[in-house]
Amino acid sequence: MSFWDIVWFIIIFFAFASYLMVLFSIVADLFRDPEVSGGMKALWVVCLVFFTFITAIVYLIVRGRGMNERSAQKYAEARQAQEEYVRSVAGASSTSAPEQIAKAKELLDSGAITADEFTALKAKALA
């Protein structure tokens, strides 16, 4: 195998991998879009199987802008859900310093913790 055969193999492999990425993103976008009916989804998939290259180009031309908008919308929704989750978890466990000290004092009075542990909890709450 010569040097140019290896270079040609790398170019072909890159093109094939790129084409597979395009196909997967088309299929993912197709099934992610709620506006497309089931019959149209099936038709797009059948065309992608039998006329792969032409169908991929047509899909990217016809629905390419929508692909980007749907992807950005899903990203924004996922980010918003993550931020809400972080806020709910952080808000549920974060209490003010006086509340933490009061809870620690209740534990000290009930005998659940020692005076040293109360001092440590108080210092942590005030920090």
Side-chain angles (χ1 to χ4, degrees):
M1 197 175 234
S2 71
F3 171 75
W4 293 111
D5 289 338
I6 294 171
V7 170
W8 182 247
F9 176 76
I10 291 171
I11 291 170
I12 295 298
F13 181 76
F14 176 76
F16 181 70
S18 300
Y19 182 67
L20 285 178
M21 288 175 51
V22 168
L23 282 180
F24 286 133
S25 50
I26 287 173
V27 170
D29 178 66
L30 188 60
F31 286 100
R32 192 180 309 148
D33 189 5
E35 296 175 4
V36 178
S37 68
M40 283 304 295
K41 289 177 183 181
L43 181 65
W44 276 112
V45 170
V46 167
C47 289
L48 277 171
V49 169
F50 291 111
F51 310 106
T52 55
F53 190 69
I54 294 171
T55 305
I57 290 174
V58 169
Y59 189 89
L60 291 175
I61 291 171
V62 173
R63 299 181 47 89
R65 180 174 300 212
M67 281 179 73
N68 187 27
E69 292 169 358
R70 282 185 294 279
S71 177
Q73 180 184 7
K74 291 294 181 183
Y75 173 74
E77 289 173 3
R79 184 174 177 164
Q80 180 67 24
Q82 180 184 9
E83 288 174 358
E84 288 175 8
Y85 173 74
V86 167
R87 272 192 229 106
S88 71
V89 170
S93 65
S94 66
T95 55
S96 66
E99 291 173 348
Q100 290 178 3
I101 294 172
K103 287 180 184 178
K105 179 68 173 154
E106 289 175 10
L107 291 173
L108 176 65
D109 292 342
S110 69
I113 61 173
T114 64
D116 292 334
E117 292 172 327
F118 171 74
T119 307
L121 287 173
K122 184 177 175 182
K124 182 179 177 186
L126 294 174

